[in-house]
Amino acid sequence: MSADRFISGPPEGCRPDWTIDQDWSRYTAEEHRVWVTLYERQTALLPGRACDQFLKGLEALDLHGKGIPDFEVMNLKLKALTGWTVVAVPGLVPDEVFFDHLANRRFPAGSFIRRPDQLDYLEEPDVFHDVFGHVPMLTDPTFADYMKAYGEGGLRAMSLGRLHNLARLYWYTVEFGLMETPQGLRIYGAGIVSSRGESEFSLEDPSPNRLGFDLVRVMRTPYRIDDYQQVYFVLPSLQRLLDDTLQDFGPVYEQLGRLPDIAIAAITPEDRVFTRGTQAYAGAHVA
Ligand SMILES: [Fe+2]
């Protein structure tokens, strides 16, 4: 995700587009071990939980847990598949920079990795979240096109004052999306696939609501950044996500201007309900 808290331009050592060299040779053996630990934990959990597109992407990129991937090597494979590349950034980047990268099929990834005593704690997205979580889905042509369309839409949303609505679409799809498949619900969101706890919680816990994806509905729903989600939205297919995003958002934003937000744990009569959650987890973890 992005942040607009930087107003004075990129930090020292960054290019004007906020990218830096990954400088793969600087990673220590301990840092590579953190990647391997996280990789092994997640790949043990994800078969039968993550969607086929994610698992296939992980294979295609050959991220077999040998350590933090070298972006240059990984980009050769990724670019050949969908035209995307991963670029290293020092951390969160301003919104317009983030959208411009996405619109040009570049995914900005944090190049640092969390410490061994922080395996389940993340203040800012690190290389494990950004690469393991996000990049496998970028090998899928439909999802890859969606991410580019999202970046283009971001620049427009900023000019129309609708960034908060568009950010919800990113949150409930790219970060925390579920998908309906003939085998049952599957994860495609990066925030879930890179988290041990949420990989199980999102699919198996009775607490959260699981509701059918609807573009306007999603854009009306706030989200929480501090804990597991109270609602997940279930896509019928990646094609639906792309098709919905390629439409002109002008009328969508006009509609949103007339409609109030929907409370985070609410279920409306129009919702397709996969799970009517108990909200027990959220109730016990009041912020
Ligand atoms: Fe992310």
Side-chain angles (χ1 to χ4, degrees):
M1 272 303 277
S2 60
D4 54 5
R5 64 184 191 216
F6 303 108
I7 48 169
S8 53
E12 215 183 307
C14 283
R15 299 184 190 92
D17 67 356
W18 289 68
T19 61
I20 53 174
D21 288 330
Q22 185 197 14
D23 196 8
W24 186 82
S25 61
R26 85 183 151 85
Y27 292 117
T28 64
E30 186 180 63
E31 287 176 319
H32 284 300
R33 266 198 306 277
V34 171
W35 173 281
V36 172
T37 302
L38 291 167
Y39 182 96
E40 287 177 352
R41 255 176 34 167
Q42 289 312 108
T43 48
L45 275 175
L46 291 178
R49 290 195 174 93
C51 68
D52 288 346
Q53 292 90 339
F54 178 88
L55 296 170
K56 214 175 120 197
L58 200 57
E59 277 300 304
L61 293 169
D62 200 20
L63 304 179
H64 287 293
K66 295 186 201 93
I68 300 166
D70 182 336
F71 292 0
E72 262 183 56
V73 176
M74 182 174 67
N75 280 341
L76 291 174
K77 298 189 181 96
L78 181 58
K79 193 161 195 178
L81 287 167
T82 56
W84 276 78
T85 56
V86 175
V87 291
V89 290
L92 296 174
V93 300
D95 290 320
E96 68 274 19
V97 174
F98 181 70
F99 293 137
D100 186 63
H101 280 304
L102 296 188
N104 288 287
R105 294 187 186 262
R106 293 186 301 265
F107 188 77
S111 56
F112 71 98
I113 194 155
R114 67 198 80 178
R115 297 199 314 261
D117 61 337
Q118 293 179 314
L119 291 188
D120 296 305
Y121 172 81
L122 260 196
E123 210 163 79
E124 286 203 9
D126 71 346
V127 67
F128 186 76
H129 169 83
D130 278 340
V131 172
F132 182 93
H134 283 282
V135 182
M137 288 304 292
L138 291 173
T139 65
D140 179 85
T142 308
F143 192 82
D145 287 353
Y146 162 64
M147 286 287 275
K148 175 183 161 59
Y150 181 89
E152 289 165 345
L155 297 168
R156 179 150 186 239
M158 284 183 82
S159 70
L160 297 173
R162 285 285 160 200
L163 199 52
H164 62 289
N165 295 117
L166 191 73
R168 293 168 178 174
L169 176 63
Y170 190 92
W171 192 262
Y172 283 119
T173 61
V174 179
E175 294 292 355
F176 292 98
L178 298 180
M179 190 168 13
E180 187 178 18
T181 79
Q183 291 76 38
L185 298 191
R186 291 290 183 270
I187 305 161
Y188 70 93
I192 311 178
V193 289
S194 60
S195 157
R196 176 166 67 175
E198 202 151 2
S199 293
E200 294 180 327
F201 179 89
S202 64
L203 291 177
E204 288 140 48
D205 199 280
S207 183
N209 296 333
R210 299 179 184 89
L211 307 174
F213 175 86
D214 176 90
L215 183 78
V216 172
R217 166 56 157 112
V218 166
M219 287 188 171
R220 292 174 66 192
T221 311
Y223 55 82
R224 54 187 308 162
I225 58 168
D226 56 339
D227 210 332
Y228 297 154
Q229 300 304 301
Q230 290 180 249
V231 55
Y232 297 92
F233 289 98
V234 180
L235 264 187
S237 68
L238 294 175
Q239 191 62 49
R240 163 76 181 278
L241 181 59
L242 176 60
D243 291 346
D244 277 11
T245 306
L246 287 175
Q247 72 177 303
D248 177 6
F249 277 5
V252 173
Y253 291 144
E254 251 173 57
Q255 205 184 335
L256 286 166
R258 296 191 301 270
L259 295 168
D261 281 355
I262 297 172
I264 196 163
I267 296 179
T268 72
E270 292 78 35
D271 284 325
R272 181 180 172 202
V273 180
F274 289 84
T275 306
R276 190 173 290 272
T278 63
Q279 298 297 329
Y281 177 88
H285 294 76
V286 178

